[in-house]
Amino acid sequence: MLIKHYLLSYAILSMLALAPAMASAFEHDRFNRLLSEHVVPINGGVSTEVDYRALLEARPELQTYLDELAGVSRENFDRWPEDEQLAFLINAYNAWTLELILTEYPDLDSIRDLGWLFQSPWKRDFVDLLGEERSLDNIEHDLIRGSGRYNEPRIHFAVNCASIGCPALRAEAYTADQLDTQLEEQTRWFLADRSRNRLDGSDLEVSSIFDWYREDFEAGWRGESTLAGFLTLYADDLGLSDDEVSQLTDGDIDIEFLDYDWSLNDLN
């Protein structure tokens, strides 16, 4: 009887010890609600618009979420699993981008209106994150791309620049347990959007994102070291036949980059 009692106590204590590790390191529920209420799918769901006018009324809730993000120390962040870290950074980038738009909304037509002659909006230090005042560029290019931790090209379809040319702002927050599924969906939706990626005769016209961040798509993710190779992974979404995939692989289909639409992704 004593042995059974000991084993039961040991099991309970073990479960209690594991509970913090099993729980999410950071809850994004507040941001998830804001996104679900203010992001509207369009074009069959492959892109979205944001109801900034309504979001402006909910700005205090967004700012509370930003304060919660700011409360995370770099020391604690570094102890999290990589998926937890990456979901946190993507959400932070998107939330702070929304906040930046709201600082001047409705008196702007593009996020680029929020920069000035010698500094783009992405280089402004206004983000309180991981114990430092940072810029959006710092989150994307240093913490995510430059950290060497993630090697994840699909983040380019998740971080959102509040523009029509961008991949869709997802209508839910990213979470560690769903991150791979969410990133894969974002990638497929973006490549299925014919306003941003399409085959035109012997040219495959794709978003300028693939030009700007080409090195990320050629860094060996899923064994692919060329942009053409990355794109063939999503041939079905691009609407490519088997013959067209072979032509793309052989270099018989040229990859061209479309102009980027920087207009605000505001709900029409």
Side-chain angles (χ1 to χ4, degrees), residues 191-209:
L191 289 170
D193 187 342
R194 295 295 167 260
S195 70
R196 295 165 172 84
N197 307 279
R198 55 183 177 259
L199 185 66
D200 183 11
S202 61
D203 294 333
L204 181 60
E205 299 177 336
V206 297
S207 168
S208 291
I209 288 173

Side-chain angles (χ1 to χ4, degrees), residues 3-22:
I3 293 176
K4 289 183 179 180
H5 177 74
Y6 172 79
L7 291 174
L8 179 61
S9 299
Y10 179 80
I12 293 172
L13 289 172
S14 297
M15 291 175 64
L16 290 173
L18 286 172
M22 294 168 62

Side-chain angles (χ1 to χ4, degrees), residues 83-133:
D83 281 354
E84 194 82 50
Q85 294 176 5
L86 190 52
F88 178 89
L89 293 174
I90 294 171
N91 289 332
Y93 186 100
N94 290 342
W96 276 105
T97 298
L98 291 173
E99 170 63 14
L100 179 62
I101 296 299
L102 295 180
T103 61
E104 297 294 335
Y105 187 84
D107 300 320
L108 76 166
D109 297 313
S110 167
I111 188 173
R112 296 199 295 184
D113 295 342
L114 300 172
W116 51 86
L117 184 60
F118 299 108
Q119 189 177 61
S120 79
W122 296 280
K123 295 188 182 300
R124 290 174 55 177
D125 291 326
F126 72 103
V127 176
D128 184 3
L129 194 70
L130 302 181
E132 294 183 24
E133 191 173 68

Side-chain angles (χ1 to χ4, degrees), residues 3-4 16 34 59 68 78 92 96-97 103 121 155 159 168 175 177 190 252 254:
I3 293 176
K4 289 183 179 180
L16 290 173
L34 287 168
R59 191 178 179 190
E68 292 171 349
D78 285 337
W96 276 105
T97 298
T103 61
I155 63 102
V159 295
T175 58
D177 61 336
F190 184 64
D252 296 327
D254 293 329

Side-chain angles (χ1 to χ4, degrees), residues 7 23 46 49 80 86 113 144 147 159 176-177 188 191 205 211-212 214 218 225 229 231 242 252 260:
L7 291 174
V46 298
E49 293 177 336
W80 295 350
L86 190 52
D113 295 342
I144 297 178
S147 68
V159 295
D177 61 336
R188 292 188 179 281
L191 289 170
E205 299 177 336
D211 185 24
W212 299 333
R214 187 167 188 150
E218 297 182 337
S225 58
L231 293 172
D242 290 343
D252 296 327
Y260 207 75

